[in-house]
Amino acid sequence: MTQSASIRPARARAAFPTAAAIILGVGLGIFFDGIVLHQLLQWHHLVSNWSPAGTVEGMEFNTYWDGILHSFAYVCVAVALFLLWRASRLAGGMMWSGRRLAGALLIGWGGFNLYDGVINHLVLGIHHVNDRVDRAQWPIYDAGFIIWGAAMLLIGFLLLRGSRREVAPQEV
């Protein structure tokens, strides 16, 4: 094996586009939130505390702002996929760590959940995780959402840290 062949796997690991995978995690996290919490469970909408969805006008307003959020998610996913594609072309077909990808995705998704939970739920109060239950239970759902986001963020960082110790397969 030549010296350059033994260096290439380490360089490929170092060249992993972590920022692109984090952006992809943000987009996927927003899509999950929008599809599961907004549409399927119908627990809340992006601005449901500013304009309750109990009227046609309120639902139109909330649906519009949900669309703005989903447009941002779409842009995140499109940009991240372009960055990942570009990085894969520059890496010369080298393999990247699946653990590193999972870690970066969880950092993006967990970071989005923490931002949404702390800023949108607690600080701004523009919506809460489940506004269909008694108002006294809102903090319980919000706390669970924040804990879920923090857990994803922590697991993501642990996966990234652990991926640095992985040994890259030797080229044949």
Side-chain angles (χ1 to χ4, degrees), residues 33 44 111-122 127 145:
D33 182 79
H44 71 270
F112 163 74
N113 278 14
L114 278 181
Y115 164 80
D116 188 33
V118 172
I119 303 300
N120 291 338
H121 301 180
L122 301 180
H127 69 265
F145 189 79

Side-chain angles (χ1 to χ4, degrees), residues 84-103:
L84 286 168
W85 172 81
R86 188 179 73 179
S88 74
R89 307 252 321 161
L90 297 174
M94 295 183 197
M95 293 182 59
W96 288 329
S97 165
R99 177 181 278 193
R100 191 168 188 100
L101 175 62

